[in-house]
């Protein structure tokens, strides 16, 4: 009977993949037809391009979910049964029961929530294990003990599938948990999308997986709205984003923007680094007022009088009082700096015009001004077009870009307290991640005067219209005059379309996805934002993110006990009160699925040294393998750590990283986590190990700093020089706690004898 069950499932999977292939062929064909379709008019071209884009996205979705397309089945007591998969799929007959139920559909919830005490109408829950298109195993959970039917695949342990996933060797890429979502996780994943939801949990509690699956669920439940506005997922560093990058595609969702805070200012690449002290100053909430003062300080007036040399009228005096009146008037508009600049300029030009009119039109006998209104208006035009006048206005109220303002501030940060100025002063060098929220703040303070861009766009449009008119004129001139005495019934191009519409049809449609357009637009408002390791973000970074989500539809995940950044926040209330008050929801995850109990207890002792009452999340498994410590002389740290890494990774006698793919899969992944100052020596000792800002996490051995390791997991971890990690920053204990909780199987620590 057991063979019958396996054969039946194999036949179903074969049918399912045949349908998948048909859908894929259909998407490819539809895309080809959309691309080939000629169509007429701009609207037809837009519709054609959009259809092609939609079909391309559908094809990408079908390709992404092919591996592990179906992973379960639920059998109800009333005889109904549904297979559960990564996407929904219907047979050719749309009226029939779906061939495959999307895991996010309401009818799929019993697969995750049903228990023996609350079976939710189920008689059986089946877990399918597949390799490619082949069913390799079944696990059946009996929900209705009164049902005597047995298949031979009944599981002896209800957690068998979960434990198998937890004990599997890591690949260097996060896998989805769609097959093993637990009840507490499911509740959070399907929580209402509006408002701010905070998910707090210690290491290994699945915060990141829950957040990503929640993003996938929201895109399913609110497809139209969120697909149009896009979902933003913010991670702590590029390595982390690379680690999670395949989860959403494996669930059929490809239209999501993944970014670090340092990547959220279009046109800026933040490759520099700050000291922890400098990052803390830049990230402080006070920087908003500091930058506002920096902008106001660029709105200057002359000490007494400034002379403006005019080609025709000599020196025009601009006194302090007139300049102050102009500045006050511009500030009174409440507009950002660049948008208020024309108001300042108009007032200055008016003041200079009045002075010049008084000088040129004065009656020597004390009578009325000899200049008429037209004369004065002409003088105003001359002053308004004077390069010297514009140069003076630029000096007093310059047009500023965010980059120009911030570069000037960092070169001479006089608006900061004196003891902080030296920490952030920088005359040159690349932008740092901590600079990006400041650039965004500067952009808000300055505003963007797009009048020149709009004028240029209109000039280009008029040029296109003129060109189109020329084409139509040529068309009109080329008509035959063979029957010039007769009224022609043949319509020429100019008879059915004018130049403006003809030019409009030649415009290229913007076929970028919402995520692609959002990445290029600083003012984009996202439909939902997910922030991982949210405790690491500075107050200024939160200002940036809140601007990106006016609806305040957000999911924040993190753990204050793991805060490592000096500018990070210690409490969710501190983060959220300025934006939503107390209108946010907190959910806590208390079960550790990653870290074995032996390792978790050792890591918790590190926290208890500073916080005696600290309680770690409860580990669901124990391996029986205690973490161990190797003590060496200070000058032997790198060599000893490298030798230990080679031994634990099974590559002793060969360079780390030379194991083939099959060997890597069996051995899993090993991370050596050490202070940044030690990484160059470790890299020399382990030349095959991946390291750098964006290490290849799929390699057998990876070198990381504790900050880079946030959110990642490895089969084996070697933590080097823990005492330096602890003392390297004000939150060093948290960094060490993070490093110690990365392994899923084994932990080793290499420290110095003097410690």
């Amino acid at each position: 009977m057991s063979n019958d069950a396996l054969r039946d499932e194999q036949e179903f999977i074969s049918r399912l993949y045949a349908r998948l292939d048909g859908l894929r062929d259909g998407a490819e064909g539809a895309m080809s037809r959309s691309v080939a379709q000629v169509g007429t008019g701009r609207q037809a071209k837009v519709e054609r391009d959009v259809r092609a884009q939609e079909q391309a996205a559908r094809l990408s979705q079908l390709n992404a979910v092919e591996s592990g397309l179906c992973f379960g089945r639920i059998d109800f007591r009333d005889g109904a049964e549904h297979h559960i998969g990564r996407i929904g799929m219907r047979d050719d007959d749309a009226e029939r029961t779906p061939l495959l139920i999307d895991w996010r559909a309401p009818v799929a919830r019993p697969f995750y929530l049903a228990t023996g005490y609350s079976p939710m109408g189920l008689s059986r829950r089946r877990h399918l294990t597949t390799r490619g298109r082949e069913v390799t195993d079944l696990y059946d959970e009996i929900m209705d003990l009164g049902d005597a039917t047995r298949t031979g695949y009944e599981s002896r342990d209800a957690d068998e599938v979960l434990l198998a996933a937890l004990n599997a060797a890591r690949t260097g890429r996060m896998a989805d948990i769609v097959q093993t979502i637990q009840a507490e996780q499911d509740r959070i994943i399907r929580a209402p999308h509006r408002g701010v939801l905070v998910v707090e949990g210690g290491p290994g509690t699945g915060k990141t997986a829950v957040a990503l699956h929640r993003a996938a669920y929201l895109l399913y439940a609110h497809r139209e709205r969120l697909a149009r506005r896009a979902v933003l997922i913010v991670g702590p560093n590029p390595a982390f984003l690379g680690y999670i990058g395949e989860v959403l595609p494996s669930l059929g969702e490809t239209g999501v923007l993944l970014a670090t805070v340092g990547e959220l200012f279009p046109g800026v690449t933040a490759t520099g680094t700050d000291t922890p002290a400098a990052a803390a100053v830049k990230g402080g909430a006070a920087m908003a007022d500091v930058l506002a003062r920096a902008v106001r300080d660029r709105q200057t007036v002359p000490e007494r009088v400034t002379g403006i040399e005019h080609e025709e009228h000599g020196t025009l005096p601009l006194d302090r009082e007139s300049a102050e009146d102009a500045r006050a008037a511009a500030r009174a508009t409440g507009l950002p700096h660049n948008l208020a600049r024309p108001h300042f300029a108009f007032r200055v030009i008016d003041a200079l015009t009045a002075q010049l009119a008084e000088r040129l039109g004065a009656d020597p006998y004390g009578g009325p001004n000899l200049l008429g209104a037209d004369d004065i208006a002409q003088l105003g035009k001359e002053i308004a077009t004077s390069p010297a006048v514009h140069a003076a206005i630029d000096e007093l109220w310059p047009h500023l870009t965010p980059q120009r303002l911030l570069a000037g501030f960092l070169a001479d940060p006089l608006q900061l307290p004196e003891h902080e100025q030296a920490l952030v002063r920088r005359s040159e060098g690349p932008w740092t991640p901590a600079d990006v929220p400041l650039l965004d703040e500067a952009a808000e303070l300055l505003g963007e005067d797009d009048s020149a861009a709009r004028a240029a766009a209109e000039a280009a449009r008029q040029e296109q219209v003129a060109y189109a008119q020329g084409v139509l004129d040529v068309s009109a001139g080329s008509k035959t005059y063979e029957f010039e005495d007769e009224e022609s019934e043949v319509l020429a191009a100019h008879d059915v379309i004018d130049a403006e519409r003809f030019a409009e049809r030649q415009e290229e449609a913007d076929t970028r996805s919402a995520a692609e357009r959002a990445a290029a637009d600083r003012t984009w408002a996202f439909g939902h934002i997910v922030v991982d390791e949210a405790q690491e973000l500075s107050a200024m970074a939160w200002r940036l993110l809140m601007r990106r989500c006016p609806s305040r539809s957000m999911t924040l995940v993190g753990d204050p006990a793991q805060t490592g950044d000096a500018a990070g926040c210690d409490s969710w209330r501190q983060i959220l009160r300025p934006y939503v008050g107390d209108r946010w929801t907190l959910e806590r995850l208390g079960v550790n699925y990653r870290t074995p109990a032996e390792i978790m207890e050792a890591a918790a002792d590190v926290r208890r040294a500073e916080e005696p009452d600290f309680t770690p999340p409860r580990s669901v498994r124990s391996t029986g393998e205690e973490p161990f410590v190797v003590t060496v002389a200070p000058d032997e740290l790198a060599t000893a750590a490298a030798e230990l890494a080679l031994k634990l990774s099974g590559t002793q006698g060969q360079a780390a990283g030379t194991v083939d793919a099959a060997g890597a899969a069996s051995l899993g992944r090993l991370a050596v986590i050490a202070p940044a100052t030690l990484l160059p020596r470790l890299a020399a000792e382990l030349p095959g190990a991946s390291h750098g800002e964006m290490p290849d996490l799929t390699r057998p051995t990876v070198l990381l700093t504790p900050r880079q390791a946030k959110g990642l997991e490895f089969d084996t971890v070697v933590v080097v020089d823990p005492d330096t990690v602890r003392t390297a920053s004000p939150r060093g204990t948290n960094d060490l706690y993070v490093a110690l909780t990365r392994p899923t199987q084994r932990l080793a620590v290499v420290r110095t004898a003097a410690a």
Side-chain angles (χ1 to χ4, degrees):
M1 191 168 185
S2 60
N3 289 333
D4 290 341
L6 189 62
R7 183 177 61 254
D8 289 345
E9 291 296 350
Q10 185 61 61
E11 289 177 355
F12 174 79
I13 293 295
S14 297
R15 177 185 170 202
L16 195 63
Y17 275 99
R19 177 62 179 151
L20 177 68
D21 290 339
L23 291 172
R24 188 156 41 205
D25 292 342
E28 288 179 343
M31 186 167 62
S32 299
R33 289 192 298 274
S34 294
V35 172
Q37 181 182 351
V38 177
T40 58
R42 181 173 184 271
Q43 184 60 34
K45 183 181 188 310
V46 170
E47 292 175 357
R48 182 175 68 250
D49 289 342
V50 168
R51 284 199 302 273
Q53 184 187 51
E54 290 174 347
Q55 294 299 337
R58 177 61 171 165
L59 184 60
S60 176
Q61 178 194 53
L62 296 174
N63 289 335
V65 302
E66 178 169 5
S67 178
L69 178 61
C70 176
F71 54 80
R73 193 180 90 181
I74 47 178
D75 297 355
F76 289 86
R77 292 175 179 173
D78 63 5
E81 63 181 47
H82 298 296
H83 280 85
I84 312 298
R86 284 173 167 76
I87 61 171
M89 191 180 297
R90 288 187 174 274
D91 227 331
D92 291 328
D93 183 359
E95 297 300 321
R96 296 175 58 185
T97 301
L99 190 64
L100 187 65
I101 299 293
D102 193 299
W103 67 275
R104 297 164 288 190
V107 72
R109 289 206 78 180
F111 184 80
Y112 300 108
L113 301 183
T115 66
Y117 294 103
S118 179
M120 301 179 70
L122 295 188
S123 61
R124 177 185 305 269
R125 173 167 52 204
R126 171 170 290 176
H127 301 269
L128 301 177
T129 303
T130 59
R131 182 183 298 112
R133 301 187 176 201
E134 180 185 359
V135 179
T136 59
D137 210 347
L138 307 177
Y139 295 91
D140 279 349
E141 293 181 65
I142 303 301
M143 298 294 171
D144 181 5
L145 297 180
D147 185 352
T149 304
R150 294 294 181 267
T151 65
Y153 290 98
E154 285 72 25
S155 174
R156 294 181 297 275
D157 185 348
D159 293 326
E160 188 169 351
V161 176
L162 173 63
L163 292 175
L166 298 179
N167 285 316
R170 273 26 188 185
T171 65
R173 291 288 182 264
M174 176 179 273
D176 64 65
I177 61 168
V178 68
Q179 190 170 359
T180 59
I181 294 172
Q182 302 300 293
E184 65 171 354
Q185 297 172 330
D186 182 83
R187 185 183 68 255
I188 295 171
I189 288 169
R190 298 173 190 264
H193 80 286
R194 294 193 179 278
V196 177
L197 174 66
V198 177
V199 183
E200 180 181 308
T205 53
K207 302 182 299 297
T208 299
V210 166
L212 294 174
H213 288 69
R214 175 166 167 74
Y217 171 76
L218 293 178
L219 282 164
Y220 171 85
H222 308 279
R223 175 72 63 191
E224 183 177 349
R225 174 178 179 270
L226 294 184
R228 184 176 67 252
R229 299 308 310 165
V231 172
L232 170 65
I233 296 180
V234 180
N237 55 59
F240 175 83
L241 294 180
Y243 175 64
I244 69 171
E246 296 178 4
V247 174
L248 285 170
S250 75
L251 299 175
E253 301 297 344
T254 57
V256 176
L257 177 62
L258 276 67
T260 65
V261 170
E263 297 169 324
L264 290 178
F265 195 90
V268 168
T269 302
T271 59
T273 56
D274 280 310
T275 65
V281 172
K282 291 180 179 181
M287 282 300 301
D289 291 333
V290 169
L291 289 178
R293 291 199 301 273
V295 172
R296 291 176 70 87
D297 288 347
R298 299 301 300 271
Q299 302 164 357
T300 60
V301 295
E303 286 295 326
R304 296 179 63 185
V305 177
T306 184
I308 303 173
E309 295 297 328
H310 194 280
E311 292 182 0
E312 297 182 15
H313 304 298
T315 301
L316 304 177
L318 178 63
D319 60 76
R320 182 182 181 89
E321 182 179 0
S322 296
E324 286 181 338
D325 288 344
R327 182 172 67 179
R331 288 177 173 175
T333 64
L335 294 171
H337 173 88
N338 288 332
L339 300 183
R341 184 175 181 272
H343 296 268
F344 176 80
F346 293 152
R347 285 298 189 103
V348 168
I349 291 170
D350 286 347
L352 293 176
T353 301
Q355 291 180 27
L356 185 57
E358 184 177 354
R359 181 201 304 174
L360 298 180
D363 184 344
Y365 302 103
N369 195 299
L370 301 178
L371 298 179
D374 291 343
D375 298 322
I376 295 175
Q378 182 60 37
L379 288 178
K381 291 180 180 179
E382 293 176 3
I383 291 174
T385 58
S386 167
V389 172
H390 280 280
I393 292 172
D394 285 340
E395 181 68 24
L396 298 174
W397 194 295
H399 181 277
L400 297 170
T401 64
Q403 291 90 331
R404 180 182 172 189
L405 174 70
L406 187 58
F409 167 76
L410 293 176
D412 195 11
L414 296 177
Q415 292 79 11
L416 283 173
E418 188 172 350
H419 68 281
E420 293 181 347
Q421 293 180 19
L423 296 175
V424 303
R425 183 175 284 112
R426 185 184 74 220
S427 58
E428 58 182 14
W431 298 113
T432 70
D435 291 332
V436 168
L438 303 187
L439 288 168
D440 196 73
E441 187 74 24
E444 289 293 308
L445 293 168
L446 297 174
E448 183 179 355
D449 183 359
D450 62 350
S451 56
R454 285 188 283 108
E458 177 60 21
R461 191 186 75 83
Q462 291 297 336
E463 184 177 347
Q464 283 288 93
V465 170
Y467 177 80
Q469 185 62 58
V471 172
L472 293 176
D473 291 343
V474 171
S475 172
S478 64
K479 64 186 292 187
T480 178
Y481 290 92
E482 182 178 354
F483 305 101
E484 59 182 357
D485 293 333
E486 301 178 16
E487 184 177 349
S488 175
E489 296 182 1
V490 179
L491 296 177
H494 66 278
D495 294 320
V496 295
I497 191 171
D498 60 23
E500 290 213 10
R501 293 188 64 190
F502 186 44
E504 188 179 79
R505 289 185 177 184
Q506 311 313 308
E507 294 178 12
E508 288 294 326
D510 186 353
T511 58
R512 295 174 298 170
S513 68
E516 290 170 331
R517 286 182 283 123
D521 185 354
R522 191 195 68 83
T523 62
W524 188 273
F526 288 92
H528 193 81
I529 293 182
V530 175
V531 185
D532 207 317
E533 302 292 346
Q535 76 280 351
E536 299 296 328
L537 270 59
S538 68
M540 293 302 295
W542 283 113
R543 289 175 65 88
L544 178 154
L545 289 181
M546 291 298 175
R547 292 188 194 105
R548 301 294 195 276
C549 193
S551 66
R552 303 293 189 262
S553 178
M554 308 178 83
T555 301
L556 316 181
V557 298
D559 178 16
Q562 298 183 65
T563 304
D565 198 297
C569 297
D570 294 316
S571 74
W572 304 119
R573 189 175 303 278
Q574 177 187 357
I575 292 171
L576 296 172
R577 175 166 284 177
Y579 306 103
V580 296
D582 293 327
R583 299 183 305 279
W584 51 279
T585 303
L586 175 64
E587 294 281 358
R588 288 188 172 89
L589 295 171
V591 179
N592 186 334
Y593 298 99
R594 175 207 302 144
T595 316
E598 297 86 351
I599 296 176
M600 197 64 233
E601 187 59 27
D605 286 341
V606 170
R607 293 285 309 146
R608 292 190 184 110
E610 294 185 358
E611 188 181 343
D613 295 333
F614 176 75
T615 302
R618 177 180 59 84
S619 296
V620 299
R621 63 196 177 100
S622 174
T623 63
E625 188 169 346
E626 296 287 341
F628 63 92
V629 178
V630 176
T631 304
V632 298
D635 59 351
E636 297 176 356
L637 270 174
T639 300
E643 291 177 351
L644 182 59
L646 291 171
K647 179 180 179 181
L648 292 175
S649 65
T651 58
Q652 197 164 31
Q654 55 185 308
T658 60
V659 179
D660 60 23
S666 61
L667 295 170
R669 298 300 184 277
L670 180 144
V672 179
I673 304 177
T677 54
L678 197 58
L679 288 188
R681 291 171 55 194
L682 285 166
E685 296 280 352
L686 294 166
S690 181
H691 61 94
E693 182 182 5
M694 189 70 176
D696 181 359
L697 299 177
T698 65
R699 298 285 291 275
T701 303
V702 183
L703 304 180
L704 302 167
T705 66
R707 299 288 176 85
Q708 285 181 301
K710 279 186 177 295
L712 308 182
E713 61 182 22
F714 305 89
D715 298 275
T716 303
V717 170
V718 177
V719 176
V720 187
D721 200 5
D723 300 285
T724 297
V725 172
R726 191 199 299 265
T727 59
S729 73
R731 300 179 189 260
T733 298
N734 292 357
D735 287 339
L736 181 56
Y737 178 63
V738 168
L740 295 172
T741 54
R742 298 307 95 194
T744 65
Q745 302 292 340
R746 294 167 294 279
L747 171 66
V749 177
V750 181
R751 65 191 312 170
T752 61

